[in-house]
Amino acid sequence: MPLKLSEATQYQLSGTTPQSQSSKTEPELPLKTIQTHQTTPFEYQSPKALDPKIKRDGLQSIHVSAYAVGHLSNDLCAAAWFTYVLYYLQEVVRLGPTNAGFAMLSGQIADGVTTPIVGFASDKCKTRIGSRAPWYIIGTIIVLPSFLGIFIYPPFPQSSPEQIAYYIILPAVFNVGWAFVQISNMAVVNSITFSTQRRDRLISLRNGFTFVANLTVLSIALVLFAVMKNPITQFRVLAFLIVAGGTVSSLFYIFTLREPKLVKEAKQIQKEFKLQQKGLFREEEKAKKSVLSAHVKQWHEWFTEGQFYVYGFVYMLVRIAVNVTMSVQPFYLIHVTGFVTTEDNPTPIAIALTPLVSYITSLIFSLMFYKPMLQRLRNRFYPLFISIMIISLGSLPYVFLNSNPDVRWMVYLLSSIQGVGLAIMLNTATSLISDVIGKDAESSAFVYGAYSFFDKVANGIIIFIITSKFNTDPTALRWIIGTIPVFCSIAAFGLTYLGKVLYSERLARLSIEEKREVPLLETRHDDM
């Protein structure tokens, strides 16, 4: 019988395709059910749902709108960064494969190192404009000019030390700023409202604008690649448009979301709310924690939990599948399927159209079919197994494609199928992490930061090796894009099963202890 944990907000598919946010996105996903030991039936119930209409913050519609677009600048930059930066550096700037790989690696390591540091530092930061706002402002000031600097093609002598240093240092600077904006935007939501429903809504809207950012960048790139003949101009215009949109959205967020005022109002309203609800509030807050995170008192205690490593490896494998596919695809399209540059099309339209088709397909599946699938299956293993089949169907044929026009068109179909499978796998893997973390803010800050570090460093190293050694080798590209996603999906499924076998009884035992500590009401909290 499954162990039912408290539900978090539904993550609307951030980073599930080669055009998504890659390792940049730290999503929250619906926590449905995870299978426990078959002979140990324990059910973890939430207390009776509180009335969602009760006011628990001072947010107005304009504040909700500001938060929704607060991460748009990052999302716009990330859509172009992971989809095109390696292609741009090698095919337009003409950096060697090794130097281009170092550029990507420096950015990934900088982001991975900065993310947990900013998370801890922002918790302790106290200023007149709030705890999170200074980091957001500084990050925005870093992100926009550094991103623009990468794509404006400054006139350095070709392959000079100055040029190489420029394209290795600037991506690191860009990713440091990116982490500042990401963490501050994600963290502020817990301070400006104490309503779980409102938090869910804010995060859902933010993820929705992630979709807007991806569709916008890929659509603009498709038009620019089709109508402009100079590749340098193509990427310059794309970068300027991204920076312009990011500047507008960031300024709207900064001047609208006044953190000190909203935090003060939320605390005052929450104080009154707690007095009104009395014991029910205490029970609800305790029950919203996962059965494991409730027993982890300090951040360093996670190192003694086996689930911390098992599900961390699951998430890292999934990100590897997504990021490798995203980074390798442009080179596969050029060197394997023969979408080469021509005088009329100096940048192959296929490198914009293929990810765009894949992303639209994955988005449709996410919005229309993913939630009903979870509700029907009510199990982590079935979605992961389905993702293995879909990813295999969409990936393995990549090994056999070639430049023959009669068969290379299949890349559009295969990328769509592969994208749907990666979407299912990423959503499910992140849900597994949330199952263990629950809604413990202190634990989640450390766990997500640690996972982010290892994920980004691992991906940076792998992408660097592929870029520097194999990105012009048709045979290697076939096997990389055709087999790595399949291998990662199978390994993720195996580790998930291992986590079930090794730790389900511990989760069930903690569930019993939690039930003894917290007297729960009979009605299930289904609206969370």
Side-chain angles (χ1 to χ4, degrees), residues 55 72 109 114 195 202 226 247 260 309 341 377 412 429 439 441 470 512:
K55 185 176 178 64
L72 184 63
I109 292 179
T114 304
S195 168
L202 291 172
T247 300
Y309 301 99
T341 59
L377 298 176
Y412 300 110
K439 283 185 171 292
F470 306 113
I512 292 177

Side-chain angles (χ1 to χ4, degrees), residues 13-22 25 75-84 210-211 213-219 319 322-323 325-327 329-330 333 350-363 398 415-416 418-420 422:
L13 187 62
S14 175
T16 58
T17 68
Q19 304 72 44
S20 61
Q21 304 314 303
S22 179
T25 303
D75 293 333
L76 290 169
C77 293
W81 168 259
F82 275 100
T83 308
Y84 297 124
T210 298
F211 300 149
N214 279 274
L215 289 173
T216 300
V217 170
L218 294 171
S219 299
R319 296 307 316 186
V322 173
N323 294 345
T325 301
M326 171 172 40
S327 302
Q329 191 175 64
L333 293 172
I351 72 170
L353 183 59
T354 303
L356 180 61
V357 170
S358 175
Y359 187 82
I360 292 174
T361 305
S362 300
L363 177 59
Y398 272 104
S415 65
S416 298
Q418 186 187 62
V420 170
L422 292 173

Side-chain angles (χ1 to χ4, degrees), residues 263-382:
V263 170
K264 182 179 179 180
E265 290 179 354
K267 288 181 177 179
Q268 181 60 37
I269 295 172
Q270 179 71 354
K271 182 179 180 180
E272 298 172 359
F273 170 80
K274 290 169 68 175
L275 292 175
Q276 294 173 359
Q277 298 298 322
K278 297 181 179 178
L280 179 60
F281 173 81
R282 178 181 59 83
E283 293 174 1
E284 182 206 33
E285 289 300 305
K286 287 185 179 180
K288 278 192 286 189
K289 294 182 180 181
S290 82
V291 293
L292 177 60
S293 64
H295 288 256
V296 176
K297 307 302 182 184
Q298 300 292 332
W299 62 269
H300 56 79
E301 293 181 19
W302 280 104
F303 289 116
T304 65
E305 296 294 336
Q307 298 94 315
F308 175 79
Y309 301 99
V310 171
Y311 296 126
F313 273 108
V314 170
Y315 182 72
M316 186 177 70
L317 285 167
V318 173
R319 296 307 316 186
I320 289 173
V322 173
N323 294 345
V324 168
T325 301
M326 171 172 40
S327 302
V328 171
Q329 191 175 64
F331 301 103
Y332 178 92
L333 293 172
I334 294 172
H335 298 289
V336 176
T337 55
F339 291 101
V340 296
T341 59
T342 64
E343 185 176 346
D344 294 331
N345 292 295
T347 303
I349 295 177
I351 72 170
L353 183 59
T354 303
L356 180 61
V357 170
S358 175
Y359 187 82
I360 292 174
T361 305
S362 300
L363 177 59
I364 293 173
F365 176 85
S366 176
L367 295 177
M368 298 182 63
F369 302 109
Y370 181 71
K371 186 176 180 179
M373 181 188 72
L374 288 184
Q375 291 174 338
R376 184 176 182 84
L377 298 176
R378 301 191 64 82
N379 185 286
R380 297 295 186 219
F381 300 102
Y382 293 137

